[in-house]
Amino acid sequence: MYQWERAINRIKINDEKDRTNFLDALHRMNGHPGLKTLLQEHSVPALYRLFQKLQADQNPFSLILAGEQEYLLHDFFQRILDSAQMFPYGRIAQKAFVELCSLGIDKEALKDLLSTRMLDLLSVDQLQKLGEVPLSNLRVLIRFFKANYRVLPEDLINLGSELIMEASPAFVAQKSNIFLREFLSAVLPHFEARFAHCMDRETLHRYPAKILAWWEVWHRHQERIEETVKEDIYYQMDFSTIIRYVPEYIWWNDGLPYGRNNQVYHFRSPEFRHLAIGGSVRKGPDFRPYTRRMAKAFVTLPYNFHAGMRDMYLYFYGISLGAGELLLLFMQRFMRHRRSKSQLVAELELWNPVLQKLACDDFENLDIPVARNLMGYLYHCLRDQPGYQVKSKTIAQLCAESQAYQGRIQARANARAAREQARLLMTGKRSKLIRWAPHSKVLPMELKQADHHYKIVELTDENQLNREGAIMNHCVGGYTYKCVDEDGSIWSLREYKDGTWYSLVTIELEGSQIVQARGPFNATPTPEQRKIIRAWKKREGLV
């Protein structure tokens, strides 16, 4: 028994007659020296799909007269082989060829595929992905090979194939493939030169997703797809000049993260086109103010920079003040990137004296927990003590203030617990717990994900507030009478782990407006935590 015969048993064929006819068709192929190479154990499922398709395409009456369905596969491949040189060499390429036949690609395209030796030139990874590529992209891929396999070098052929396979059908439908050869031969070398200081040509070609994005940008530039005035200088510029003008980080990352999953200077933005024509980041459509030092950090940012920065604008601002790595990291957690120019300028002016004070080795040498406590304390002071000054204080003095602040929070919690314990010993009764009614219009939320279980709950008594403040190391324990007087409500985002609910973020509402949301030591919530809060905000109609 042949290996491919055993594979038939693993295919679900309900009709025994159909199974017999298919087996006869495979034996007929096996008897032909040129076709038997296509008979492989892993090709049998695709051959059966092709067999079914050929059956469906035939006139049922002619099949009855002929009575020889065993010739369907034989004749199909024979007609292709008569007009082509030969089938692919490798087994993986042969299997991919059978898969393409079963997808319904027309015979002329299949002949072109064989004549260009396309399947023998593609890499193993590309061959294995062919079955997942949309049919429209496959047709474009075959036309690309037919037009360019004798013109472009093999590495560009492979890269162009990868781009077509990865591109969206909508983009391919714009006939962008017509210009692909020009992009690969005339435009891509400028990108290679742009990144030559950090990687060679071969390494760059290992990032087809990046190159695909650049191809789309260049195609929109060529076709003037963006909705701008016809005389826009962006379209009058040579694209090689645009490649030089745009910073490498933006080319590599399609923009800059400016907090809260907000991508700025992405390829379709007016800010990107402003940079592309040689415009200064300080004078563009971006409303955010930039100093000269910030602008320099912007244009010289390495393509692969990460360092845990989710808000690059705050990073540029910190760099301009001489901040070290630790301060830059905590700026991301405690400062807020406001959405209007006036609010952002006010936030920067509020923090500026503090950041200048902390931009020194004394702060960078602090242990991370000490630095985190200090930043939480300073956030509290800037928010709740108008006119708070750090000018005449040293880092050691600020750390002492921070420690005293955390001590006062803990002391209040201990005093409350001691009073409660004393009352219990004297009277045998606990003091009356201060409670308040839950919010009348906002409901809790529970969210279960694959590996995580979250909930947002309201805190409705003083003990809950005190525990939240003690666990999170902030001052929410003092909000009891604000909640009693219905001036606000306090909520807690929590995660369930190992049988226990852990507080992640404390949220303050005033009516239906979220006033603030803070993590441990008044830190800014993480992107994942903000995503959950936004989902709750949207569901409950909060602002």
Side-chain angles (χ1 to χ4, degrees):
M1 178 181 287
Y2 297 106
Q3 287 185 343
W4 52 265
E5 288 182 290
R6 289 195 294 269
I8 296 178
N9 298 325
R10 295 194 291 270
I11 302 175
K12 186 177 180 180
I13 304 178
N14 296 325
D15 190 343
E16 190 60 34
K17 183 178 179 182
D18 195 32
R19 177 187 293 272
T20 301
N21 290 336
F22 178 54
L23 185 59
D24 290 343
L26 295 184
H27 278 290
R28 177 63 63 180
M29 284 182 62
N30 192 52
H32 190 292
L35 303 183
K36 66 188 304 181
T37 58
L38 298 179
L39 279 174
Q40 301 177 44
E41 184 176 359
H42 298 297
S43 300
V44 170
L47 285 169
Y48 180 62
R49 290 194 295 271
L50 176 59
F51 181 73
Q52 289 181 303
K53 181 181 181 304
L54 294 174
Q55 281 182 315
D57 291 343
Q58 293 295 313
N59 184 329
F61 183 69
S62 64
L63 279 177
I64 294 173
L65 289 180
E68 295 184 351
Q69 297 189 39
E70 63 182 279
Y71 283 98
L72 285 177
L73 292 175
H74 174 278
D75 292 349
F76 175 84
F77 287 116
Q78 183 62 52
R79 282 192 291 271
I80 296 175
L81 188 61
D82 288 344
S83 58
Q85 298 175 2
M86 62 184 69
F87 291 123
Y89 292 112
R91 290 191 174 185
I92 298 178
Q94 292 169 357
K95 178 179 179 292
F97 174 69
V98 176
E99 290 278 359
L100 294 178
C101 292
S102 68
L103 293 176
I105 295 179
D106 60 90
K107 292 179 182 178
E108 291 302 317
L110 291 174
K111 293 174 183 178
D112 292 337
L113 181 149
L114 293 177
S115 65
T116 59
R117 312 303 303 164
M118 174 180 134
L119 297 180
D120 290 320
L121 293 174
L122 293 178
S123 68
V124 173
D125 289 340
Q126 290 172 331
L127 289 173
Q128 292 174 340
K129 290 192 297 186
L130 279 179
E132 305 171 4
V133 177
L135 196 59
S136 58
N137 290 38
L138 287 174
R139 293 192 177 101
V140 170
L141 178 59
I142 294 172
R143 291 199 295 271
F144 170 75
F145 252 88
K146 183 180 180 181
N148 299 292
Y149 81 105
R150 296 183 185 277
V151 179
L152 294 176
E154 185 175 334
D155 62 332
L156 292 184
I157 286 288
N158 275 314
L159 178 59
S161 303
E162 189 74 26
L163 298 181
I164 294 173
M165 291 165 64
E166 294 290 336
S168 67
F171 179 59
V172 171
Q174 297 173 5
K175 298 184 179 180
S176 52
N177 60 292
I178 297 175
F179 305 104
L180 180 54
R181 181 168 69 188
E182 182 182 351
F183 172 79
L184 293 173
S185 58
V187 179
L188 184 58
H190 293 287
F191 281 108
E192 294 167 354
R194 186 74 170 82
F195 290 91
H197 67 284
C198 53
M199 68 182 76
D200 57 25
R201 182 173 183 269
E202 182 180 352
T203 303
L204 182 64
H205 290 188
R206 294 174 189 164
Y207 297 92
K210 308 291 184 186
I211 299 175
L212 173 59
W214 302 340
W215 175 27
E216 293 180 355
V217 174
W218 174 77
H219 173 67
R220 291 197 299 271
H221 178 267
Q222 295 296 104
E223 295 295 292
R224 295 175 177 260
I225 290 177
E226 313 291 357
E227 294 183 3
T228 55
V229 293
K230 191 173 182 179
E231 293 76 22
D232 192 337
I233 190 173
Y234 172 71
Y235 293 117
Q236 300 173 12
M237 294 190 64
D238 184 77
F239 201 78
S240 62
T241 305
I242 292 175
I243 294 173
R244 292 198 309 272
Y245 281 160
V246 175
E248 65 180 53
Y249 184 93
I250 293 178
W251 276 125
W252 195 256
N253 298 279
D254 189 8
L256 284 159
Y258 268 18
R260 298 196 178 189
N261 298 321
N262 182 30
Q263 195 79 352
V264 184
Y265 291 94
H266 57 83
F267 294 153
R268 293 177 179 267
S269 66
E271 293 89 356
F272 172 81
R273 292 198 293 275
H274 173 76
L275 294 178
I277 62 174
S280 168
V281 67
R282 302 182 65 196
K283 299 179 181 180
D286 186 1
F287 70 86
R288 302 165 184 85
Y290 293 84
T291 65
R292 290 182 179 177
R293 289 183 178 180
M294 291 177 69
K296 181 179 179 180
F298 181 98
V299 299
T300 59
L301 190 67
Y303 79 100
N304 58 350
F305 179 84
H306 176 61
M309 303 297 165
R310 59 175 180 259
D311 191 324
M312 293 306 300
Y313 181 80
L314 294 180
Y315 169 79
F316 298 141
Y317 185 67
I319 287 293
S320 71
L321 298 178
E325 292 183 7
L326 188 61
L327 180 56
L328 290 169
L329 182 63
F330 281 119
M331 284 175 62
Q332 307 284 317
R333 298 297 306 274
F334 290 93
M335 292 183 66
R336 299 184 65 181
H337 189 149
R338 306 287 183 170
R339 295 303 183 94
S340 70
K341 183 174 182 179
S342 59
Q343 291 178 332
L344 180 59
V345 169
E347 178 82 0
L348 298 180
E349 290 177 349
L350 180 67
W351 276 93
N352 185 275
V354 172
L355 297 178
Q356 291 195 48
K357 173 65 68 174
L358 300 182
C360 63
D361 291 339
D362 288 344
F363 181 84
E364 294 298 311
N365 292 331
L366 294 177
D367 292 336
I368 290 179
V370 175
R372 180 185 60 201
N373 292 354
L374 176 56
M375 288 294 289
Y377 166 69
L378 292 171
Y379 170 85
H380 157 75
C381 293
L382 293 175
R383 182 192 64 186
D384 299 333
Q385 300 180 24
Y388 176 76
Q389 298 288 331
V390 297
K391 186 175 182 181
S392 60
K393 300 175 182 178
T394 65
I395 298 298
Q397 290 172 328
L398 291 173
C399 286
E401 289 184 8
S402 171
Q403 188 174 5
Y405 168 72
Q406 301 296 335
R408 289 194 298 272
I409 292 177
Q410 188 61 47
R412 285 197 296 267
N414 293 340
R416 283 192 295 266
R419 288 195 300 270
E420 182 65 23
Q421 185 66 21
R423 177 183 174 85
L424 182 61
L425 290 173
M426 293 177 62
T427 65
K429 298 180 181 179
R430 296 185 180 276
S431 60
K432 185 177 180 181
L433 185 65
I434 300 177
R435 302 177 184 271
W436 49 88
H439 200 295
S440 60
K441 296 182 180 180
V442 182
L443 298 176
M445 183 182 78
E446 190 165 354
L447 177 63
K448 292 183 179 180
Q449 298 177 342
D451 301 321
H452 300 279
H453 186 185
Y454 300 101
K455 69 177 181 181
I456 296 178
V457 294
E458 185 177 4
L459 309 183
T460 56
D461 65 53
E462 60 177 330
N463 279 352
Q464 293 178 356
L465 285 185
N466 292 334
R467 283 196 299 270
E468 184 82 2
I471 292 170
M472 302 290 280
N473 289 281
H474 53 45
C475 58
V476 75
Y479 281 52
T480 296
Y481 289 100
K482 183 171 185 177
C483 295
V484 170
D485 296 338
E486 297 183 355
D487 292 332
S489 60
I490 304 298
W491 301 71
S492 179
L493 168 61
R494 296 175 175 177
E495 182 178 12
Y496 188 75
K497 283 184 178 181
D498 302 324
T500 305
W501 287 100
Y502 292 91
S503 295
L504 302 177
V505 180
T506 307
I507 307 165
E508 180 185 357
L509 295 186
E510 289 184 358
S512 60
Q513 181 178 5
I514 296 179
V515 178
Q516 60 177 329
R518 286 286 155 180
F521 300 95
N522 286 315
T524 303
T526 66
E528 180 63 29
Q529 293 164 359
R530 291 200 298 270
K531 183 178 179 180
I532 298 169
I533 295 172
R534 283 198 299 271
W536 177 60
K537 175 181 176 181
K538 181 178 180 180
R539 194 193 75 172
E540 297 301 315
L542 304 176
V543 294

